[in-house]
């Protein structure tokens, strides 16, 4: 069977699996998961064409819309003259890391453990352990120790509540009418 036709036929099932069981789907397509990983939202379009080049360590949290792109399609216009031209590299996300909503991590990047990648960051280079990484292109903003100190000072102290209780607490804290 033609591979494109087969993908078309299996799309609905894969998309549903990626939405309901995003980590299971990521494993099935070849993402190397080393421990417990949490993916919010669907993982269907998260891992590009080479998911086997992406490695996620223990206690990694990935927010909605993040993408991992281990290849560089920019060389395609030059393949007519240089057919062998290709750029790709593995991506590794260290343990205890949060990847923010809409972040893009590009080829050859390693993120050290205990890091936070900000929403919509475009990560084009590697970063060592313990940093807050944000921007386009991403840069080191501060250490996770500095962030944690600030977070403790500003905490609403409701992180341990179950989901519905937390929603009620948010509404009460921010003065929104509770039904």
């Amino acid at each position: 069977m033609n591979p494109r036709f087969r993908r078309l036929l299996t799309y609905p099932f894969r998309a549903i699996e990626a939405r309901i069981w995003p980590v299971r789907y990521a494993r099935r397509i070849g993402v190397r998961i080393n421990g417990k990983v949490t993916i919010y939202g669907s993982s269907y379009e998260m891992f590009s064409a080479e998911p086997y080049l992406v490695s996620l360590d223990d206690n990694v949290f990935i927010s909605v819309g993040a993408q991992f792109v281990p290849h560089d399609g920019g060389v395609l216009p030059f393949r007519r003259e240089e057919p062998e031209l290709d750029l790709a590299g593995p991506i590794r996300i260290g343990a205890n890391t949060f990847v923010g909503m809409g972040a893009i991590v590009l080829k050859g990047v390693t993120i050290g453990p205990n890091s936070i990648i900000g929403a919509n960051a475009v990560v084009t280079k590697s970063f060592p352990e313990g940093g807050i990484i944000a921007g386009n292109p991403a840069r080191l903003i501060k250490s996770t120790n500095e962030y944690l100190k600030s977070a403790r000072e500003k905490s609403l102290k409701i992180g341990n509540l179950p989901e519905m209780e937390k929603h009620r607490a948010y509404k009460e804290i921010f003065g929104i009418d509770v039904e």
Side-chain angles (χ1 to χ4, degrees), residues 19-161:
R19 179 75 182 149
I20 297 173
W21 301 289
V23 175
R24 183 176 94 174
Y25 177 77
R27 270 196 178 99
R28 189 167 71 72
I29 62 172
V31 176
R32 291 173 291 147
I33 297 175
N34 308 308
K36 185 177 185 319
V37 168
T38 302
I39 298 174
Y40 299 100
S42 174
S43 61
Y44 187 72
E45 294 180 347
M46 188 172 279
F47 296 103
S48 192
E50 299 84 12
Y52 48 85
L53 290 176
V54 178
S55 179
L56 307 172
D57 286 348
D58 188 43
N59 205 36
V60 168
F61 297 84
I62 303 171
S63 195
V64 176
Q67 294 185 330
F68 301 86
V69 186
H71 66 274
D72 185 343
V75 299
L76 293 174
F78 307 106
R79 285 232 183 113
R80 190 175 287 164
E81 292 80 31
E82 298 185 46
E84 75 288 349
L85 193 59
D86 191 43
L87 297 173
I91 296 171
R92 182 174 192 113
I93 306 298
N96 304 315
T97 295
F98 174 79
V99 180
M101 179 183 287
I104 301 171
V105 182
L106 298 178
K107 68 174 175 49
V109 167
T110 296
I111 302 298
N114 305 310
S115 297
I116 297 171
I117 300 173
N120 295 313
V122 178
V123 187
T124 61
K125 64 181 183 178
S126 296
F127 289 90
E129 178 174 1
I132 308 294
I133 303 151
N136 180 4
R139 60 185 176 83
L140 183 65
I141 303 298
K142 64 171 99 173
S143 75
T144 50
N145 288 336
E146 292 171 299
Y147 172 79
L148 183 56
K149 181 182 177 194
S150 172
R152 284 180 179 137
E153 292 169 1
K154 297 174 185 176
S155 177
L156 300 173
K157 310 249 188 278
I158 61 171
N160 60 323
L161 295 179

